[in-house]
Amino acid sequence: MAAASPSVFLLMVNGQVESAQFPEYDDLYCKYCFVYGQDWAPTAGLEEGISQITSKSQDVRRALVWNFPIDVTFKSTNPYGWPQIVLSVYGPDVFGNDVVRGYGAVHVPFSPGRHKRTIPMFVPESTSKLQKFTSWFMGRRPEYTDPKVVAQGEGREGETAGAETLFPEQPACLTLPFSSQ
């Protein structure tokens, strides 16, 4: 008697990192990666990527437009660990060093069809006054060694998350139109 192989389902994601609002910054680029559970495996497409550098548009919105394509297919036997996309935005500081300008994550939409997600971005803050002074003096902001931690809940106690950390008046946000099947 032959053992029945477990049935799998496919999740196809096509979309783009369309644009962002970072009122105080210009010349930014974006990186993306996916975080998913143990039963998930990519079968086609790219799990991570990096965009071009973009400048603010000349219209009233002053948006940063990337139109950065995303196309990946996953297979799984279990919906547990549904994929999330993690976005990191970087740009130059006053010294010309690339520093993180925001992190954000969102689950890939659960239902098929066209979806649009706006992702609030945040940056980690130093936990002590000495660390804050050192980061300011050295011109380096705190950042994650692995941005995938943004999609996980473990080990993030006490972290300031939310766009309020960046811009109290207008949050930094990324816009992603998705199609999933």
Side-chain angles (χ1 to χ4, degrees), residues 48-63:
E48 56 186 39
I50 184 168
S51 75
Q52 79 279 6
I53 296 173
T54 189
S55 298
K56 289 183 182 174
S57 64
Q58 298 301 314
D59 63 4
V60 178
R61 291 182 356 176
R62 306 280 296 156

Side-chain angles (χ1 to χ4, degrees), residues 4 8 10 12-13 91 125 147 158 164:
V8 298
L10 296 176
M12 298 184 316
V13 180
E125 289 186 352
E164 301 77 34

Side-chain angles (χ1 to χ4, degrees), residues 18-181:
E18 187 175 80
S19 63
Q21 295 288 330
F22 282 83
E24 295 181 12
Y25 302 117
D26 203 1
D27 299 328
L28 302 181
Y29 64 94
C30 177
K31 293 181 181 181
Y32 78 86
C33 63
F34 284 92
V35 175
Y36 44 85
Q38 293 179 359
D39 291 342
W40 290 82
T43 60
L46 297 174
E47 287 182 74
E48 56 186 39
I50 184 168
S51 75
Q52 79 279 6
I53 296 173
T54 189
S55 298
K56 289 183 182 174
S57 64
Q58 298 301 314
D59 63 4
V60 178
R61 291 182 356 176
R62 306 280 296 156
L64 294 151
V65 178
W66 285 293
N67 292 330
F68 180 37
I70 297 170
D71 190 9
V72 64
T73 301
F74 295 98
K75 74 174 180 177
S76 181
T77 59
N78 183 347
Y80 180 78
W82 193 267
Q84 296 179 65
I85 186 168
V86 176
L87 297 151
S88 310
V89 176
Y90 296 87
D93 64 5
V94 294
F95 304 111
N97 300 316
D98 279 353
V99 295
V100 68
R101 296 299 184 193
Y103 292 107
V106 67
H107 279 95
V108 171
F110 297 110
S111 59
R114 297 182 58 80
H115 305 273
K116 192 170 196 169
R117 299 289 185 259
T118 300
I119 304 168
M121 304 297 284
F122 71 93
V123 290
E125 289 186 352
S126 299
T127 55
S128 73
K129 291 190 186 294
L130 177 62
Q131 287 175 330
K132 285 181 185 179
F133 175 74
T134 305
S135 352
W136 172 80
F137 184 71
M138 301 295 283
R140 298 299 299 176
R141 292 184 109 148
E143 61 183 83
Y144 297 116
T145 53
D146 182 5
K148 290 181 179 183
V149 73
V150 172
Q152 301 162 350
E154 302 85 33
R156 292 181 58 195
E157 297 82 17
E159 179 177 304
T160 303
E164 301 77 34
T165 309
L166 282 175
F167 310 109
E169 296 162 10
Q170 184 175 5
C173 294
L174 282 172
T175 304
L176 287 117
F178 279 111
S179 292
S180 57
Q181 300 176 354

